[in-house]
Amino acid sequence: MSLTPQVSTEGTLPPPARTGSVILGRQDYLSVLLRLIGMELYKLRRRTMSKVLGILAFAIALIVFLLVSLGTFFVLNTPPETFRASCQGQGSQPTNCSQLSAAQLAQNKQDLLQTVSEPLRLPDSLNLIVQVALPLGAILIVILVGSMAGGEFSLGTVRLMFTRGPTRTQFLLAKVGATLVCTVIGVLLMSITGILSGQLLNLASGIGQNFNFFSAGWSGHMVLYVLAAMLNWSIYAIIAIFFGTLGRSTVAGMMGALMWFLIEAILGGLLNLAGIFSRGPFGDFLKAIPDYFIGNNIGALMQNQEQYIFGASSFSLFNIFGASSSTISNMHALIVLAVYLAAFIGLAWWINERRDVTN
Amino acid sequence: MQENNEALLQSDIVISTSRLTKAFGKLIAVNDLHLQVMRGDVFGFLGPNGSGKTTTIRMLLGLIRPTAGRAVIFGMDVIQHMPSILPRIGAIVETPVFYPYLSGMDNLHVVGAASGMVSGKANQRRIDEVLELVELHAQAKMAYRKYSLGMKQRLGIAAALLTDPELVLLDEPTNGLDPAGMFEIRQLIQRLAALGKTIFLSSHLLNEVQQVCNRVAILQKGNLIKQGNVSELLRGSEQVLVRLNTSEETQQAKLILQEAKERGADWLRAVHVQMDRQGQPTLRIDAPKSCSTEINALLARNNLFAAELHPYEGSLEEIYLQLTTPSIPSGTRIGMAALAGSGTIAQQPEPIPTIETVSEGKGGTR
């Protein structure tokens, strides 16, 4: 009876045959990773939270277009005589509105209808839904991914997963992979729902969809625009993975990413203001800091596509922060965003690898 | 030939640790641990709460990194080859936790996918098998959050066995189970052992361990204090209790036995005189129970005739408590046997409460 047996690593024990009812799949790195991504998606699909968030995304897209269509319905149900007032706007060339014919009044109504229903039709409907999806969808994906990453620690299932065979890196990459799939599905779900809702509601206006804008170039820019929107979601979702891993809880994942999202927006605005008031090199320095924020670089990527898709006058959410995103080149934006992605994934990987899994 | 035997021995070592140490800050949870588990062993891993059992299991599974030393499983270092080791292991670490929104069966599908099994219905047969094995088939489609503690424990065992692993690490697998459930788990462990699986079982239930394990290690405050075959440990604690008619005869018998020991009766480890609850002196002889006849004959040759003579096997619980609880002196009977009283020693000799213990070599009263 010895207390100090000798350790030997010589001669790896060959595994005995398993029972015939255990059917193993391919065990190469990629196959294992793909199976884990499938597993993550399966878990997400079975969660009530995912369904609720999916319904919310769908409802947001629908509600936005319903609200926008209220203007169309208002114009439609307003008698043509009401549109006399619109001629007062032509200031430099005064028109005697009272002398407008019924046809002119009808034309005025039609012109206004054309304008108010414009966001219901492509390409403006795409712009509208993406601008809405950027902040609201990002919040939804952060909630979903924060619970996916932090939930493993909150529930304690990380012990179960980490003792099954795949490496911790594979588990982390599976979460990143599932996040990307969710991002693609989410952005497409909201975009398609928004565009279809807009088209359906536009039927009431009686104005047909004009596809003159459509070209190969437009399609290319539109794809890049949607990809930039997906990148926006993905980055905040990756931040949620990082904070969920760091804080080992769902709340940490969600709150970390949401706080980043909010603080960056507020800080960007404050730095811009501070830059304006403190003139000179220091002011320029302060104004330049937001150029390295996630939101501004995503905004730059999107704005650089918007001008091809919607024209220069299109509405952009990023403009409201007063950032100088339009001055940021695509290359600058892509490099900055790549650095953020690498930093957050890298840190999450490092924490995941080094950390002891205790209670 | 000897080299071949050594190689064969090495190839049968499933778990081997060397100077394995884990410190959490200033707290040393596991200290300089040397363990060896052979293929086919049902290895009991014992120790009080906080003795480092779960920490050791976590190090073996790669959940935590050792501060020093190393662990080798299937001949592979756990730090370097964990991805090759884990698919061959099934494990429960503390209370098993699954996804509460999934059913038991769906949880096993998830575990299967994480374990390298093909997803979908291909492995449904195996999942049905393990659910049947732990008698959870009827509740397979019930959400995990609705499971009782015992059902959760069973699902943990099902998950551990899902890939038909050759090494099963079970950390307190009977937690939350009722006596019938514990019995079933014991049967299950014995069935798995019969199939040639190596079982590493951490438990507080010493009776369970004694019944199913062939080898044990006992840990205290992170230190390994005993490791060996259960039968050897029990043999070492075997005793023969002899009651003679008078105190004088008892003292005389003690002297005769001590003399016999000095003359070379090496099977006789120690002789004590104890008082039972009725105030009657009784000889407690630390010797294999197979020597009862010899003891009886020796006393008879000296005209001392035992009124009662009881061979006593001892239990793992006693050995464990004597090793881990300093306040309990060696040889003291503990547990149900102690409660039974001296009148019940015909079946299970009364573990006489130590009022007076005369140890060999000391010759005094404590």
Side-chain angles (χ1 to χ4, degrees):
Chain A
M1 193 178 299
S2 168
L3 286 179
T4 56
Q6 295 300 306
V7 173
S8 172
T9 55
E10 287 172 24
T12 302
L13 291 189
R18 293 179 200 266
T19 180
S21 54
V22 176
I23 302 165
L24 293 176
R26 291 177 60 170
Q27 299 300 312
D28 58 280
Y29 196 90
L30 189 63
S31 300
V32 170
L33 181 59
L34 290 174
R35 211 160 31 238
L36 290 176
I37 292 173
M39 179 196 78
E40 290 293 343
L41 291 172
Y42 174 75
K43 287 191 290 185
L44 283 175
R45 187 164 62 83
R46 299 296 306 274
R47 292 187 70 170
T48 310
M49 179 191 271
S50 318
K51 290 167 190 164
V52 169
L53 293 175
I55 291 168
L56 262 177
F58 180 79
I60 287 168
L62 208 60
I63 289 166
V64 163
F65 280 88
L66 278 171
L67 290 174
V68 168
S69 69
L70 288 179
T72 303
F73 287 110
F74 178 75
V75 173
L76 275 174
N77 292 310
T78 307
E81 297 77 43
T82 316
F83 296 97
R84 287 177 202 282
S86 62
C87 57
Q88 288 171 352
Q90 298 171 358
S92 61
Q93 292 176 326
T95 308
N96 186 352
C97 293
S98 62
Q99 290 178 357
L100 288 177
S101 65
Q104 284 173 315
L105 287 171
Q107 184 57 46
N108 279 351
K109 179 180 177 178
Q110 190 61 24
D111 289 346
L112 187 60
L113 191 62
Q114 176 81 30
T115 306
V116 296
S117 64
E118 198 69 55
L120 298 176
R121 293 185 295 276
L122 279 169
D124 284 16
S125 58
L126 177 66
N127 186 29
L128 175 65
I129 188 60
V130 169
Q131 295 297 333
V132 168
L134 282 175
L136 296 179
I139 291 170
L140 297 183
I141 197 86
V142 158
I143 293 170
L144 186 71
V145 175
S147 71
M148 177 176 73
E152 298 281 4
F153 296 96
S154 298
L155 291 171
T157 44
V158 67
R159 284 203 309 259
L160 178 74
M161 289 293 116
F162 282 2
T163 54
R164 301 313 304 187
T167 62
R168 294 184 185 192
T169 306
Q170 283 173 316
F171 278 113
L172 179 69
L173 289 177
K175 295 214 181 287
V176 173
T179 299
L180 295 180
V181 172
C182 290
T183 298
V184 170
I185 292 171
V187 169
L188 290 180
L189 170 79
M190 287 192 83
S191 302
I192 292 168
T193 306
I195 290 167
L196 289 178
S197 309
Q199 291 295 324
L200 282 172
L201 292 164
N202 181 56
L203 292 176
S205 71
I207 301 168
Q209 171 68 57
N210 187 342
F211 285 102
N212 286 345
F213 63 88
F214 192 79
S215 66
W218 184 90
S219 304
H221 288 295
M222 190 271 288
V223 169
L224 291 175
Y225 180 72
V226 173
L227 283 175
M230 289 173 181
L231 184 61
N232 177 62
W233 281 30
S234 303
I235 287 188
Y236 288 107
I238 300 281
I239 294 175
I241 290 180
F242 164 71
F243 279 108
T245 307
L246 179 70
R248 286 189 276 198
S249 76
T250 303
V251 176
M254 289 179 192
M255 292 311 293
L258 291 177
M259 289 308 287
W260 189 288
F261 183 74
L262 286 174
I263 288 171
E264 203 182 59
I266 295 165
L267 201 60
L270 289 176
L271 285 168
N272 261 312
L273 280 174
I276 291 164
F277 289 116
S278 345
R279 299 183 182 194
F282 184 66
D284 292 341
F285 169 74
L286 289 178
K287 278 194 283 187
I289 292 175
D291 287 354
Y292 298 91
F293 285 1
I294 294 170
N296 285 3
N297 284 284
I298 289 283
L301 283 180
M302 298 194 75
Q303 277 190 316
N304 292 341
Q305 299 307 317
E306 278 170 12
Q307 57 184 319
Y308 298 107
I309 309 172
F310 314 114
S313 61
S314 63
F315 165 77
S316 174
L317 186 75
F318 298 100
N319 292 334
I320 62 174
F321 299 128
S324 55
S325 53
S326 57
T327 62
I328 300 171
S329 70
N330 283 339
M331 184 56 75
H332 172 282
L334 286 172
I335 290 171
V336 169
L337 295 172
V339 168
Y340 272 106
L341 275 177
F344 283 117
I345 294 176
L347 283 172
W349 171 84
W350 186 77
I351 293 165
N352 212 33
E353 283 294 307
R354 301 300 304 172
R355 175 181 276 160
D356 284 347
V357 179
T358 56
N359 288 330
Chain B
M1 184 66 183
Q2 194 183 349
E3 281 175 8
N4 283 345
N5 284 342
E6 279 175 14
L8 194 68
L9 187 71
Q10 296 289 8
S11 72
D12 273 348
I13 299 170
V14 173
I15 299 174
S16 181
T17 70
S18 170
R19 306 190 68 85
L20 194 66
T21 303
K22 180 67 188 180
F24 296 103
K26 287 181 181 174
L27 175 76
I28 298 174
V30 175
N31 184 31
D32 205 20
L33 182 67
H34 294 266
L35 276 183
Q36 205 164 59
V37 180
M38 310 299 286
R39 178 164 269 173
D41 268 354
V42 181
F43 192 90
F45 198 45
L46 313 174
N49 285 337
S51 59
K53 301 188 300 291
T54 301
T55 303
T56 304
I57 290 178
R58 284 186 166 149
M59 284 193 278
L60 293 176
L61 291 169
L63 289 173
I64 59 178
R65 285 167 181 271
T67 309
R70 65 194 296 231
V72 174
I73 300 182
F74 305 124
M76 294 176 277
D77 187 285
V78 294
I79 299 291
Q80 291 163 10
H81 299 103
M82 195 41 90
S84 307
I85 294 169
L86 283 176
R88 297 166 67 179
I89 300 178
I92 295 181
V93 187
E94 294 183 305
T95 307
V97 181
F98 293 88
Y99 299 97
Y101 47 88
L102 296 178
S103 67
M105 185 180 285
D106 291 339
N107 266 302
L108 290 182
H109 276 292
V110 167
V111 172
S115 309
M117 293 166 78
V118 293
S119 35
K121 299 204 169 177
N123 275 300
Q124 189 59 49
R125 197 179 123 211
R126 178 61 187 165
I127 288 170
D128 289 339
E129 274 175 13
V130 289
L131 285 169
E132 199 77 57
L133 198 68
V134 297
E135 298 188 354
L136 263 184
H137 212 265
Q139 295 86 16
K141 291 184 178 171
M142 186 194 283
Y144 175 74
R145 64 173 167 267
K146 294 179 182 168
Y147 276 20
S148 67
L149 187 59
M151 288 157 74
K152 288 176 180 175
Q153 204 71 27
R154 286 159 194 265
L155 188 63
I157 293 170
L161 301 177
L162 188 61
T163 54
D164 190 26
E166 54 193 289
L167 169 63
V168 184
L169 274 76
L170 302 172
D171 187 9
E172 303 288 351
T174 50
N175 261 0
L177 296 182
D178 56 19
M182 288 182 197
F183 174 75
E184 283 160 17
I185 298 300
R186 197 167 70 224
Q187 300 274 313
L188 178 64
I189 290 170
Q190 283 167 339
R191 278 207 301 276
L192 291 172
L195 290 170
K197 309 281 178 204
T198 306
I199 319 274
F200 189 90
L201 173 69
S202 155
S203 179
H204 288 302
L205 301 171
L206 300 166
N207 188 38
E208 301 287 316
V209 171
Q210 186 175 335
Q211 289 184 59
V212 298
C213 295
N214 63 323
R215 295 185 68 235
V216 292
I218 302 176
L219 226 59
Q220 189 182 31
K221 293 179 182 170
N223 294 295
L224 181 67
I225 53 173
K226 201 86 174 175
Q227 180 173 208
N229 290 327
V230 172
S231 54
E232 280 177 23
L233 284 172
L234 291 176
R235 205 173 300 136
S237 72
E238 282 180 1
Q239 293 178 340
V240 178
L241 302 180
V242 179
R243 192 193 301 275
L244 291 118
N245 290 319
T246 63
S247 297
E248 292 73 28
E249 282 184 2
T250 307
Q251 288 298 339
Q252 204 180 335
K254 182 180 172 248
L255 291 171
I256 288 164
L257 287 164
Q258 281 178 340
E259 203 176 299
K261 179 175 167 53
E262 281 160 18
R263 284 204 306 260
D266 54 359
W267 46 268
L268 216 161
R269 298 191 300 274
V271 186
H272 316 270
V273 175
Q274 293 181 168
M275 306 299 282
D276 68 11
R277 285 174 185 162
Q278 281 75 43
Q280 296 292 314
T282 303
L283 269 183
R284 189 174 53 122
I285 305 157
D286 291 348
K289 59 181 184 180
S290 56
C291 297
S292 301
T293 314
E294 208 163 342
I295 290 167
N296 201 17
L298 180 66
L299 294 177
R301 278 200 298 276
N302 290 279
N303 292 322
L304 294 169
F305 300 98
E308 291 177 21
L309 189 144
H310 305 282
Y312 183 74
E313 191 177 37
S315 70
L316 201 53
E317 187 178 34
E318 286 166 11
I319 296 166
Y320 170 85
L321 287 174
Q322 281 154 12
L323 288 168
T324 58
T325 315
S327 58
I328 297 174
S330 173
T332 304
R333 298 281 176 247
I334 300 149
M336 294 306 287
L339 295 173
S342 59
T344 62
I345 56 174
Q347 288 303 315
Q348 185 81 322
E350 152 54 3
I352 299 157
T354 307
I355 299 167
E356 178 198 30
T357 302
V358 183
S359 298
E360 188 211 4
K362 290 183 181 173
T365 302
R366 281 193 291 166

